Amino acid sequence: MGDVERWHELGQQLRVDSIRAAAVTNSGHPTSSMSAADLMAVLMTKYLHYDFDAPENPNNDHLIFSKGHASPLVYSMYKAAGAISEEELLTFRQFGSRLEGHPVPVLPWVDVATGSLGQGLPISVGVALAGKKLDRLPFRVWCLNGDSEMAEGSMWEAFDHAAFYELDNLVAVLDINRLGQRGPTMHEWDLNSYANRARAFGWKAIEIDGHDYGEIDRAYAEAIETHGQPTAIVARTIKGKGVKEVENKEGWHGKALDHPDEAIEELGGIRNEVIQVPKPEGDGEPHVFETGDLELPRYDEGDEVATRKAYGDALAALGSANGKVVAVDGEVSNSTFAEIFKEAHPDRYFEMYIAEQQMAAAAVGMQVRGWHPFASTFACFLSRAYDFVRMAAISRARFSLCGSHAGVSIGEDGPSQMALEDLAELRAVHSSTVLYPSDGNQTAKLVAQMAELDGISYIRTTRAATPVIYGPDEEFPVGGARVIRSSADDDVTIVGAGITLHEALKAADALAEDGVSARVIDLYSVKPVDAETLQAAAEATGGRIVTVEDHWPEGGLGEAVLSAFADADERPQVLKLAVGGMPGSGKPAELLAAASIDAEHIAEAVRRLVSAAAVT
Amino acid sequence: MGDVERWHELGQQLRVDSIRAAAVTNSGHPTSSMSAADLMAVLMTKYLHYDFDAPENPNNDHLIFSKGHASPLVYSMYKAAGAISEEELLTFRQFGSRLEGHPVPVLPWVDVATGSLGQGLPISVGVALAGKKLDRLPFRVWCLNGDSEMAEGSMWEAFDHAAFYELDNLVAVLDINRLGQRGPTMHEWDLNSYANRARAFGWKAIEIDGHDYGEIDRAYAEAIETHGQPTAIVARTIKGKGVKEVENKEGWHGKALDHPDEAIEELGGIRNEVIQVPKPEGDGEPHVFETGDLELPRYDEGDEVATRKAYGDALAALGSANGKVVAVDGEVSNSTFAEIFKEAHPDRYFEMYIAEQQMAAAAVGMQVRGWHPFASTFACFLSRAYDFVRMAAISRARFSLCGSHAGVSIGEDGPSQMALEDLAELRAVHSSTVLYPSDGNQTAKLVAQMAELDGISYIRTTRAATPVIYGPDEEFPVGGARVIRSSADDDVTIVGAGITLHEALKAADALAEDGVSARVIDLYSVKPVDAETLQAAAEATGGRIVTVEDHWPEGGLGEAVLSAFADADERPQVLKLAVGGMPGSGKPAELLAAASIDAEHIAEAVRRLVSAAAVT
């Protein structure tokens, strides 16, 4: 049997299996799978180098379906590779099956979750960057993209960065099947429009008929011979190819076929061929960066240091001790202080320019290869990458985020640069950790722990220099809280973190002069939250708590505290201070006062709470 | 004085004023202003048609600074136009000043807040779309863009849509000054790279020296003569142009000059010329769409209808009664049911393809012109546009969002398509309204109210058809909650919304058989929340509440309820049921059960709470 015949047989098998899989629960995307079946048939028999028995082999290529809804095709390929059984294929989309509606890394051969379009390619850029600059291994990254998702700006962030970093180990296959979910795509079969854009962004682009095996074969051959730039294979395909009832017809996106048996017959019936996917050619080991002991920065009590500066110092120190730590930043490294890491470890720093989606995606891609990225920008701009963070949780990804310039306390720049929703945003991410230090030494200790945490960990840093209040040898376990001031006869507990902790301490001083004794808690770990310490404080201070946060009232520190008591037997009265009105520009102190979260307003709130209690 | 000399004088004045403004608080971005001063000098004297005395004139052009950090230039232009005084200019960035660090529409001549890069151009696309297709007036939209922000994918979403919609009323001026915040941009002065991309995306592109007045003049002249496509003027400029100490030097982003007086002298000293900005040429009135009476859809109790379907029905009906209502959707209108509006009002529907950032930006741009857009996609994909929604709040924008396919109840598609963070996300937006209906008639009543709300209103809809439980004439005021079942001797209150309200009702039935009487509250308005109804219920049911939501535990319905009681005198015990673990695929009922938010688990939780209370 010649190559073309073999490819045809495999292409038909992949189509048949896609239809069979979708028939199981009468849901899924068979027609989106059928358009790309020939492209994948040629790829997996000749160009993809992958050991399905050893998915952890560092020399494996990576195949990422940016069009994650073509999951029937993914699973059909796994069956054709002998990685899953026919029986398992037919569990598609059933409760408890590994074969979910969109691919997730519950399967050992899936690198990342896709299904939110426009993410697979930017993540592939991250994997390819890791391959070239970190692992320094010759594996390739193959990414299958839909045409609808080319409308996502994140795709063009990926095109921009892949060319800039000369990622010739990256091949993007564009499955131009003309039809989106509800009708034709913007550019339909105008292959040129895609190819011209790719070229304008610095890529090699090859236009082909995605059902002509010879053209597909030559395109891959050309792609792997291309040096210094990534390649886009722009393939004209037919959605639903092979089954007349659905071929190139609207109204068949995300639907199982009405007559699967007839369709399977039209495609030549069920086949169960298992093909040999080429094994990885190399046997190299990933590059290892030299490291020494961990020597975190040490700040003297009484000095002033911004937690963002401490973040940079600590990250650089961590990088010296842990060769897996890398950093990416969204063109603000002189503000986030990621630049300190960059100077110390230039080989492990990657500039992502002002492309926060690509920044997050690069982090996700690098952690696929076992690196631990720290991605930083202004905390408010992490909102640009929220969908990527959401999806990263589904990818069971393990990396860290740093958001600087939190809250109104940044001052003159005004609200566009103030993160006032980031705690809500990052708390509402599955399995996330949310940290908010108030002091340089504490920041250093938290940064060091972040590299050891599973899931997505987030640290919120402050623009302004604040007093160092902790010694460099104190410990701040994630999930803890620090009672920073207390006495046996405290009247109230004030809970703050970051900038507001310092205001809380000043408030406590002022209150002490009035004879009001305030316990002060530093809630540096907003998620997980230390319910035990909070409950003990509430009990000891008459069930009175004032929370204060440089954040909107919703979803942040105040609600984290409330949730800690939600169904507890005793629930304290919690007076939540947060930013209520829209801030403008001004000096940090003016803005903290205007938001009623400075020392004076905290003290006032405490007095109200305590005197109301005295009356009742 | 000839044109060139006048432009030179004005350019220098704008530079001097930018430097003076930044000197006030020793902060701001004078060098980023100086690079674009000549471009803006020519624009405002000859091409921009704008009546500063009548900013509401519908025939005014629109000038949007996508590079919002060049605010000193914006304000210097306002001074040169006679709109603000020298005295006011020198309040820049001071507390209480209208001249904030980045422009905000507190000023009548500012359309939208900018400062998060990559947003001004997509918003300009929205304004230009409104001009061409809704207002049908010949005004132009001029958008000044920085080179750093060309790295944002959202810019390419804008390029894509502007060409697709043939927006020849849009001119993008690209200020290619080579330097970003922390160093050179990716493409520095490679003008060709920008121009080629613009052309590949279907734009006319003109490359010029941005300090050559003749070239600038000719480029604008060519732009306004261009038909059928938007124009990008790609201008090579020098950051800090005119002051040797800072010209084309790194390290001067976002900093006031060290020696402002010398710099002003170098630029020829202070000038206070006021120039005549051309007035709008047209005197047309915005197009008015014909309307009739509001006839909301009516569903029969006992029937089943998905709230997403009711959203589409209601939006179409609303469109028939309110000519200001328009709809945009992210290529999923057959799932969100925005397609019903599209069919009824094709002239007021705009397909945004899979470009959620552009979709949100289009909504922001259209509301600038007084239209009321409803933007819809799967609720999880609104996370893609979160930064745009955050900024829209700073823009004091007024529009509506609809997110369909909320929660695990969508079933087989799996977690990538499930919104489990959207309530947290949208609650943490300044002045937002968050609605979550459970019934078709309720949905219709809420959609009708959304068009009357200020700020950003959000409605979360459900994929599955659910029973109609309310009559078509019942009222559901925003900010209210509905006690749907109650008796004098209720033991507990269950609070649900959307899909979980139906589970709560089933749970209440089951509990009634066991002799446990449960009050059930439909919390269809998650923000603002009806604290009074919740407090009355808590009081009447022994201080016991079970909340149940198809959402992560953080920031959603449960925490909204907790916040309603935070500092109340009596705080109930609140047992929060929410999605704890990462869901997979399965049938809706299987996934609701696995997440412990179906009727059975609600009933179990209630029994636990009630029996614990009985023991104590």
Side-chain angles (χ1 to χ4, degrees):
Chain A
M1 192 152 67
D3 276 349
V4 168
E5 202 177 332
R6 284 197 304 134
W7 288 327
H8 173 76
E9 282 301 304
L10 178 56
Q12 297 296 76
Q13 173 173 322
L14 296 176
R15 290 186 173 94
V16 166
D17 283 343
S18 295
I19 292 168
R20 294 170 73 199
V24 176
T25 65
N26 195 31
S27 75
H29 300 76
T31 59
S32 304
S33 298
M34 292 155 80
S35 61
D38 296 323
L39 292 161
M40 292 300 103
V42 178
L43 183 72
M44 73 183 291
T45 50
K46 187 165 173 186
Y47 294 97
L48 176 72
H49 291 265
Y50 194 90
D51 186 348
F52 277 88
D53 295 327
E56 294 306 320
N57 184 336
N59 295 287
N60 279 334
D61 283 355
H62 292 261
L63 171 61
I64 293 175
F65 267 49
S66 195
K67 52 178 289 185
H69 56 285
S71 55
L73 178 57
V74 176
Y75 305 142
S76 299
M77 291 170 74
Y78 292 168
K79 168 171 167 278
I84 66 168
S85 66
E86 182 176 23
E87 191 184 1
E88 183 166 15
L89 177 74
L90 299 180
T91 66
F92 179 54
R93 287 180 168 238
Q94 287 183 329
F95 185 73
S97 170
R98 298 190 295 177
L99 310 191
E100 295 189 9
H102 294 75
V104 289
V106 168
L107 288 162
W109 317 286
V110 174
D111 286 326
V112 290
T114 50
S116 176
L117 290 170
Q119 300 209 7
L121 187 64
I123 291 170
S124 296
V125 167
V127 180
L129 255 176
K132 245 188 143 59
K133 313 276 188 180
L134 297 169
D135 290 316
R136 305 181 186 174
L137 289 173
F139 63 75
R140 282 202 174 75
V141 183
W142 306 88
C143 182
L144 179 68
N145 307 276
D147 45 359
S148 280
E149 67 179 321
M150 300 302 287
E152 286 285 12
S154 55
M155 297 298 274
W156 300 102
E157 296 183 14
F159 271 83
D160 207 18
H161 284 74
F164 179 73
Y165 283 109
E166 303 180 353
L167 301 180
D168 50 18
N169 55 346
L170 173 63
V171 181
V173 180
L174 276 51
D175 178 18
I176 311 295
N177 67 22
R178 197 186 71 84
L179 292 172
Q181 170 173 327
R182 45 107 294 243
T185 59
M186 194 188 277
H187 305 291
E188 303 205 26
W189 272 327
D190 181 2
L191 262 62
N192 237 313
S193 81
Y194 295 105
N196 284 343
R197 289 164 194 218
R199 289 181 193 119
F201 274 78
W203 286 46
K204 176 192 267 298
I206 307 171
E207 297 175 48
I208 62 167
D209 174 349
H211 302 303
D212 180 314
Y213 300 106
E215 288 192 28
I216 298 169
D217 185 29
R218 283 191 293 277
Y220 287 135
E222 197 176 336
I224 64 176
E225 287 306 320
T226 299
H227 299 291
Q229 63 180 165
T231 300
I233 297 175
V234 185
R236 183 188 198 277
T237 62
I238 294 170
K239 197 161 176 170
K241 166 78 177 176
V243 175
K244 286 281 169 288
E245 189 180 6
V246 297
E247 252 189 18
N248 193 28
K249 286 211 176 67
E250 291 190 34
W252 284 102
H253 183 93
K255 282 185 188 156
L257 269 55
D258 278 348
H259 309 99
D261 293 337
E262 289 84 336
I264 291 165
E265 200 180 313
E266 188 178 346
L267 289 162
I270 291 174
R271 299 161 180 83
N272 284 304
E273 288 303 308
V274 173
I275 59 121
Q276 290 303 317
V277 175
K279 291 281 189 286
E281 286 169 326
D283 61 354
E285 287 298 319
H287 177 76
V288 175
F289 290 93
E290 275 183 33
T291 52
D293 293 336
L294 179 61
E295 291 184 27
L296 287 176
R298 303 171 67 87
Y299 307 101
D300 293 332
E301 284 180 72
D303 281 2
E304 296 216 328
V305 62
T307 53
R308 61 179 171 136
K309 172 68 164 49
Y311 168 78
D313 289 340
L315 189 62
L318 182 61
S320 300
N322 181 341
K324 291 291 190 188
V325 168
V326 301
V328 291
D329 186 277
E331 221 273 271
V332 288
S333 59
N334 55 340
S335 289
T336 60
F337 285 108
E339 70 177 9
I340 303 172
F341 181 93
K342 177 188 178 177
E343 282 154 27
H345 311 288
D347 292 350
R348 281 185 274 156
Y349 176 87
F350 301 93
E351 181 56 58
M352 290 291 125
Y353 297 93
I354 308 187
E356 294 83 4
Q357 296 184 94
Q358 177 59 74
M359 179 182 74
V364 174
M366 289 169 177
Q367 66 84 39
V368 164
R369 287 290 317 123
W371 303 94
H372 190 103
F374 281 73
S376 50
T377 184
F378 285 23
C380 60
F381 301 139
L382 289 174
S383 60
R384 203 61 160 267
Y386 193 34
D387 194 28
F388 284 76
V389 175
R390 176 184 79 87
M391 287 295 298
I394 305 175
S395 291
R396 282 71 171 170
R398 192 177 185 282
F399 66 97
S400 300
L401 294 166
C402 170
S404 69
H405 292 67
V408 303
S409 74
I410 67 162
E412 285 82 359
D413 266 342
S416 66
Q417 319 293 303
M418 295 170 179
L420 290 164
E421 64 294 307
D422 57 316
L423 296 178
E425 181 187 339
L426 273 301
R427 283 182 70 232
V429 168
H430 182 63
S431 288
S432 66
T433 300
V434 178
L435 306 171
Y436 184 18
S438 56
D439 155 284
N441 289 315
Q442 184 182 54
T443 303
K445 289 293 172 78
L446 292 173
V447 169
Q449 290 174 74
M450 288 171 84
E452 310 302 325
L453 294 173
D454 278 333
I456 296 160
S457 52
Y458 171 58
I459 189 164
R460 181 188 220 215
T461 64
T462 300
R463 179 172 184 265
T466 49
V468 175
I469 54 174
Y470 297 119
D473 296 315
E474 299 187 48
E475 296 299 331
F476 300 94
V478 168
R482 175 64 69 101
V483 180
I484 192 170
R485 187 171 303 191
S486 71
S487 70
D489 56 350
D490 286 335
D491 304 296
V492 64
T493 298
I494 309 174
V495 182
I499 194 82
T500 62
L501 195 262
H502 298 281
E503 298 298 318
L505 289 170
K506 283 186 265 180
D509 288 344
L511 288 163
E513 288 176 20
D514 300 355
V516 176
S517 178
R519 182 165 299 198
V520 178
I521 291 184
D522 176 359
L523 200 73
Y524 62 85
S525 179
V526 180
K527 181 186 174 189
V529 79
D530 184 349
E532 208 175 308
T533 295
L534 288 169
Q535 285 169 5
E539 203 173 311
T541 63
R544 286 180 292 275
I545 292 183
V546 173
T547 63
V548 52
E549 59 193 311
D550 196 355
H551 189 276
W552 299 128
E554 296 86 9
L557 183 145
E559 291 193 350
V561 169
L562 286 170
S563 274
F565 291 101
D567 62 347
D569 289 333
E570 299 292 327
R571 281 93 49 200
Q573 195 170 21
V574 177
L575 192 55
K576 267 171 62 186
L577 301 181
V579 180
M582 180 57 74
S585 290
K587 295 199 185 78
E590 290 169 331
L591 295 173
L592 288 169
S596 304
I597 56 170
D598 66 345
E600 197 174 316
H601 286 85
I602 297 170
E604 252 178 57
V606 165
R607 286 187 200 102
R608 271 205 313 278
L609 196 63
V610 172
S611 65
V615 171
T616 52
Chain B
M1 192 153 65
D3 275 349
V4 168
E5 204 176 332
R6 283 197 303 134
W7 288 327
H8 174 77
E9 282 302 304
L10 179 56
Q12 296 297 75
Q13 173 173 320
L14 296 175
R15 289 186 172 95
V16 166
D17 283 343
S18 295
I19 292 168
R20 293 169 73 198
V24 175
T25 64
N26 196 31
S27 76
H29 300 76
T31 60
S32 304
S33 298
M34 293 156 78
S35 60
D38 297 322
L39 292 161
M40 291 300 103
V42 178
L43 182 72
M44 73 182 292
T45 48
K46 188 164 172 187
Y47 294 96
L48 177 72
H49 289 267
Y50 193 91
D51 186 347
F52 277 89
D53 295 326
E56 294 307 319
N57 184 335
N59 295 287
N60 278 335
D61 282 355
H62 292 262
L63 172 62
I64 292 176
F65 267 47
S66 195
K67 53 177 290 184
H69 57 285
S71 56
L73 178 58
V74 176
Y75 306 141
S76 299
M77 290 170 73
Y78 292 168
K79 168 172 167 278
I84 67 168
S85 67
E86 182 175 25
E87 191 184 3
E88 183 166 14
L89 178 73
L90 299 180
T91 65
F92 179 54
R93 287 181 167 238
Q94 286 182 330
F95 185 73
S97 170
R98 299 190 295 177
L99 310 191
E100 294 189 13
H102 295 74
V104 288
V106 168
L107 288 162
W109 317 286
V110 174
D111 286 326
V112 289
T114 51
S116 177
L117 289 170
Q119 300 208 5
L121 187 64
I123 291 170
S124 296
V125 167
V127 180
L129 255 177
K132 247 187 142 60
K133 312 276 189 180
L134 296 170
D135 291 315
R136 305 179 186 177
L137 289 173
F139 64 75
R140 281 203 175 73
V141 184
W142 306 90
C143 181
L144 179 68
N145 307 276
D147 46 359
S148 279
E149 67 179 321
M150 300 302 286
E152 286 284 10
S154 55
M155 297 297 276
W156 300 102
E157 296 183 13
F159 270 83
D160 207 19
H161 284 75
F164 179 75
Y165 283 109
E166 302 180 354
L167 300 180
D168 50 17
N169 56 345
L170 173 63
V171 181
V173 180
L174 276 50
D175 178 18
I176 310 292
N177 67 22
R178 196 186 70 84
L179 292 172
Q181 170 174 325
R182 42 96 278 176
T185 59
M186 194 188 277
H187 305 291
E188 303 205 27
W189 271 327
D190 180 3
L191 262 62
N192 237 313
S193 81
Y194 294 106
N196 283 344
R197 289 163 193 219
R199 288 179 193 121
F201 274 78
W203 287 47
K204 177 192 266 299
I206 307 171
E207 295 175 48
I208 63 167
D209 174 348
H211 302 302
D212 180 314
Y213 300 106
E215 289 192 26
I216 298 170
D217 185 28
R218 282 190 294 277
Y220 287 135
E222 197 177 336
I224 64 176
E225 287 306 320
T226 300
H227 300 291
Q229 63 180 164
T231 300
I233 298 175
V234 184
R236 184 189 198 276
T237 62
I238 293 169
K239 195 160 177 170
K241 166 78 177 174
V243 175
K244 286 283 171 286
E245 190 181 4
V246 297
E247 251 188 17
N248 193 27
K249 286 211 175 68
E250 291 189 35
W252 284 103
H253 183 93
K255 282 187 190 157
L257 269 54
D258 278 348
H259 307 102
D261 293 337
E262 289 84 335
I264 291 165
E265 201 181 315
E266 188 178 345
L267 290 162
I270 291 174
R271 300 160 178 83
N272 284 306
E273 288 303 309
V274 173
I275 58 122
Q276 290 305 315
V277 175
K279 292 280 190 285
E281 287 170 323
D283 61 355
E285 287 297 321
H287 177 77
V288 174
F289 290 92
E290 275 183 35
T291 52
D293 293 335
L294 179 61
E295 292 185 26
L296 287 176
R298 302 170 68 85
Y299 307 100
D300 293 332
E301 283 180 73
D303 280 2
E304 296 218 327
V305 63
T307 53
R308 62 178 171 136
K309 172 67 164 48
Y311 167 79
D313 289 339
L315 189 61
L318 182 61
S320 299
N322 181 340
K324 291 289 190 188
V325 168
V326 300
V328 291
D329 186 276
E331 220 269 335
V332 288
S333 59
N334 55 340
S335 289
T336 60
F337 285 107
E339 69 176 10
I340 302 172
F341 181 94
K342 177 188 178 177
E343 282 153 26
H345 311 288
D347 292 351
R348 282 185 272 155
Y349 176 87
F350 300 93
E351 181 56 58
M352 290 293 125
Y353 296 93
I354 308 187
E356 294 82 5
Q357 297 184 92
Q358 177 60 73
M359 178 182 75
V364 174
M366 289 170 176
Q367 66 83 41
V368 164
R369 287 290 318 123
W371 302 94
H372 190 102
F374 281 72
S376 51
T377 183
F378 285 23
C380 60
F381 302 138
L382 289 173
S383 61
R384 203 62 161 264
Y386 193 32
D387 194 28
F388 283 77
V389 175
R390 176 185 79 86
M391 288 295 299
I394 304 175
S395 290
R396 283 72 170 169
R398 191 176 186 283
F399 66 97
S400 301
L401 294 167
C402 170
S404 68
H405 292 67
V408 302
S409 74
I410 66 162
E412 286 82 0
D413 265 343
S416 66
Q417 320 293 303
M418 296 170 178
L420 291 164
E421 62 295 306
D422 57 315
L423 297 177
E425 181 185 338
L426 273 302
R427 282 182 69 232
V429 168
H430 183 65
S431 289
S432 65
T433 300
V434 178
L435 305 171
Y436 184 17
S438 55
D439 156 284
N441 289 315
Q442 185 183 53
T443 302
K445 288 292 171 76
L446 293 173
V447 169
Q449 290 174 74
M450 287 172 84
E452 309 302 325
L453 294 174
D454 279 333
I456 297 159
S457 53
Y458 171 58
I459 189 164
R460 182 189 220 215
T461 64
T462 300
R463 178 171 185 265
T466 49
V468 176
I469 55 174
Y470 298 119
D473 295 315
E474 299 187 47
E475 296 299 332
F476 300 93
V478 168
R482 175 64 69 101
V483 180
I484 191 170
R485 186 172 304 191
S486 70
S487 70
D489 56 351
D490 285 335
D491 304 296
V492 64
T493 299
I494 309 174
V495 182
I499 193 83
T500 62
L501 195 263
H502 298 281
E503 298 299 318
L505 289 170
K506 283 186 265 178
D509 289 343
L511 287 162
E513 289 176 18
D514 300 353
V516 176
S517 178
R519 180 165 299 198
V520 178
I521 292 185
D522 176 359
L523 200 74
Y524 62 83
S525 179
V526 180
K527 180 185 175 188
V529 78
D530 183 349
E532 207 174 309
T533 296
L534 289 170
Q535 284 167 5
E539 202 172 313
T541 63
R544 285 179 293 275
I545 292 183
V546 172
T547 63
V548 52
E549 59 194 309
D550 195 355
H551 189 276
W552 299 129
E554 296 86 9
L557 182 146
E559 291 193 351
V561 169
L562 286 170
S563 273
F565 291 100
D567 62 347
D569 289 334
E570 299 292 327
R571 281 92 51 199
Q573 196 170 19
V574 178
L575 191 55
K576 268 170 61 185
L577 301 182
V579 180
M582 179 59 74
S585 290
K587 294 200 185 78
E590 290 169 331
L591 295 172
L592 288 168
S596 304
I597 56 171
D598 65 346
E600 197 176 315
H601 286 86
I602 296 169
E604 251 179 57
V606 166
R607 286 189 199 102
R608 270 203 316 276
L609 197 63
V610 171
S611 65
V615 170
T616 51

